[in-house]
Amino acid sequence: MQINFWNKQIETASRDEINDIQLRRLKNIVKQAYKSEFYKKKFHKAGIESPEDIKTLEDIQKFPFTTKNDLRQNYPAGLLASDFDDVVRIHSSSGTTGVPTVIYLSGEDMDCWTDLVARSLVATGCTKSDVFQNMMTYGLFTGGLGLHYGAERVGMAVLPIGGGNTIRQVRYMQDFNTTTLHITPSYLLHIYGKLDDFNTKIEDLSLKRAITGAEPHTEQTRKKLEELYNMPCYNSYGLSEMNGPGVAFECVYRNGMHIWEDGFIAEIINPETGEVLPDGEKGELVLTNLTRTAMPLLRYRTRDLCHIYDSDCPCGRTHRRLSRIMGRTDDMMIINGVNVFPSQIEEVVMNIPEVGTNYQIVLTKKGAIDKLIVKVEIYSKMFSGDASQLDSLNRKICEELKASIFVNPVVQIHEPGTLPTFEGKAKRVIDMREEI
Ligand SMILES: [Zn+2]
């Protein structure tokens, strides 16, 4: 397999070299963080008087965690650590509670971010000959602009089309011989169902790969997408608090996402106790951004659940890999006392061959009892009118779900194209329990 590198020296550095870079950068970034009102107070409270207290990488554990709540409470400028004149970009997200969070980037921070995104794209096989159709939302959301600048730095021809308008998306794929898509997995599933309407076949397109991001998805969804489109789909990880995309990315082997460890320190913790867990154990990902000077974030709790593995990757990169995100600590649904993650449901339904490209999870309440309804679309060839066939499919989905999540669901089978669709991030879970 052809392996391309953006910065081979860094990407294949020895563990000692990576540790050296991390320690040097950690000392610098802690020094920088002291300049913000927020960290000055926080460090003082934790009894840390000077950045010189950091002698080894393990010393990072002396620092308290930073949370999303900290960002909200210190909005808009409590975490700003550099002169405002040095800021060249502001990204903000409103979140579900409506209280915004903000990140600031200096010119140098932008440069580091763009470089990591370029490195990530090259790891998936992208070159300057590729045509990159960026179907993520542009604007304050970091997914659009983040990949845009990285793809330009690689030298790809970038189509900044943004999300939505499926007919135009497909037309541009044809007209400009798009080779690489950047898209949410749910939108990629949705488009497949539309190709027939536009009289377009996959063979008419020049697609070589898709970069999927912005929403966690399961291995089953990836498999389905790769079969439908006959191209590799690369998982990526980022979050706006850590600039956005480009934190961790899959290489051509698609066996977990390399975390760019010269840019970030990744820890996995037990979300209840805060205890740091060894590699391989599942827990909450905690990230320290080592290079962002305008607004350093130390030990930021991402609320994303995953694990890290350090086995060798055949691509030769030495940066450890992150598993797929298995859910978020705040995504967890409690259904009649049982903890269920939406990803567990997706894993089951997407593995059933008759199930099509869309599904939805609805929670309601009957008296004191929670009711879980799983709505799935199936492929049209299954709607041949044979009711007993549909009944047995319904039973099969119910049984497989129950065996996986220990909750008895009600399964509803829908015709293709009848469940709500999304041209950006999907909203798969509708929880109506509080409204009833
Ligand atoms: Zn690799």
XYZ file of all heavy atoms in Angstrom, residues 251 253 255 258 313 315 317 321, ligand 1:
71
model
N -5.368 6.544 9.266
C -4.477 6.438 8.115
C -5.112 5.444 7.139
O -6.233 4.986 7.370
C -3.110 5.945 8.573
S -3.157 4.253 9.191
N -4.862 2.481 6.753
C -5.232 1.167 7.309
C -6.574 1.184 8.049
O -7.099 0.135 8.383
C -4.101 0.623 8.192
C -2.937 0.183 7.343
C -1.864 1.037 7.103
C -2.935 -1.062 6.725
C -0.814 0.655 6.277
C -1.888 -1.456 5.900
C -0.842 -0.592 5.683
O 0.178 -0.970 4.862
N -7.639 1.596 11.064
C -7.703 0.727 12.239
C -7.586 1.543 13.522
O -6.900 1.162 14.457
C -6.584 -0.332 12.163
C -5.226 0.339 11.999
O -5.147 1.559 11.944
N -4.167 -0.429 11.942
N -4.947 7.935 14.564
C -3.691 8.403 15.162
C -3.944 9.755 15.826
O -4.411 10.694 15.164
C -2.625 8.578 14.077
C -2.111 7.288 13.512
N -1.225 6.489 14.186
C -2.374 6.652 12.340
C -0.942 5.415 13.449
N -1.640 5.481 12.329
N 1.266 0.408 14.149
C 0.397 0.491 12.966
C 1.277 0.204 11.744
O 2.401 0.712 11.656
C -0.221 1.883 12.875
S -1.363 2.021 11.485
N 1.391 1.430 9.014
C 1.765 2.606 8.217
C 3.091 3.189 8.677
O 3.680 4.004 7.982
C 0.679 3.687 8.306
S 0.657 4.565 9.874
N 3.483 5.052 11.409
C 3.318 6.191 12.323
C 3.378 5.680 13.764
O 2.835 4.607 14.054
C 1.993 6.920 12.065
C 2.009 7.710 10.786
C 0.684 8.391 10.478
N 0.785 9.086 9.193
C 0.631 8.490 8.010
N 0.319 7.206 7.959
N 0.789 9.160 6.888
N -3.137 5.374 18.837
C -4.427 5.485 18.141
C -5.602 5.500 19.113
O -5.563 4.893 20.183
C -4.576 4.326 17.157
C -3.825 4.569 15.858
C -3.730 3.325 15.032
N -2.847 2.359 15.656
C -2.970 1.051 15.533
N -3.938 0.535 14.829
N -2.118 0.243 16.134
Zn -1.441 4.093 10.727
